């Protein structure tokens, strides 16, 4: 799973942070300490962790995820992270060196 979206509403300093949906990588969600929840009024499930976004971003960085975008919508902050596929990177580097 190369992309992850995380978000929080209002409480940047204290969490909780939404880190995935029902189709997210279960091992990654476990690593982030997230639990599956359904908010009253929503027709979908989501993973939440009590950690603030800073802690979640630090955990994801240790797994080689990098922030590629961040935005604020109303009182919600959203980060998009990407984890490069090292096999693809190795192939690109090898191909580039061979082309010279």
């Amino acid at each position: 799973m190369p992309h992850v979206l995380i978000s929080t509403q209002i409480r940047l300093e204290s969490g909780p942070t939404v880190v995935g949906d029902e189709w997210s990588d279960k091992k990654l969600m476990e690593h982030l300490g997230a639990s599956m929840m359904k908010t009253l009024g929503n027709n979908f499930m989501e993973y939440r962790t009590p950690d603030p976004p800073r802690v979640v971003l630090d955990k994801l960085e240790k797994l080689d995820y990098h922030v590629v975008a961040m935005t604020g919508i109303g009182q919600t902050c959203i980060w998009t992270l990407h984890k490069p596929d090292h096999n693809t990177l190795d192939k690109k580097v090898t191909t580039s060196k061979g082309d010279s």
Side-chain angles (χ1 to χ4, degrees), residues 58-73:
D58 288 348
K59 288 179 180 181
L60 289 167
E61 183 180 39
K62 289 178 183 175
L63 298 175
D64 291 332
Y65 282 90
H66 303 283
V67 173
V68 293
M70 187 275 176
T71 191
I73 302 170

Side-chain angles (χ1 to χ4, degrees), residues 25-94:
D25 181 328
K26 288 178 180 29
K27 287 184 181 180
L28 178 60
M29 297 299 109
E30 186 177 306
H31 177 78
L32 296 175
S35 301
M36 181 73 78
M37 305 183 112
K38 184 173 183 181
T39 303
L40 183 63
N42 288 349
N43 63 351
F44 57 88
M45 304 279 287
E46 60 190 9
Y47 279 99
R48 285 187 185 190
T49 178
D51 293 333
R54 178 188 56 79
V55 172
V56 174
L57 291 167
D58 288 348
K59 288 179 180 181
L60 289 167
E61 183 180 39
K62 289 178 183 175
L63 298 175
D64 291 332
Y65 282 90
H66 303 283
V67 173
V68 293
M70 187 275 176
T71 191
I73 302 170
Q75 295 181 336
T76 302
C77 292
I78 304 168
W79 293 262
T80 304
L81 295 94
H82 180 260
K83 181 176 183 175
D85 180 358
H86 292 292
N87 292 331
T88 304
L89 277 176
D90 292 343
K91 288 177 186 176
K92 286 181 182 177
V93 169
T94 305

Side-chain angles (χ1 to χ4, degrees), residues 8-19:
T8 193
Q9 294 182 341
I10 306 168
R11 300 170 297 278
L12 284 174
E13 297 82 11
S14 62
T17 305
V18 176
V19 294

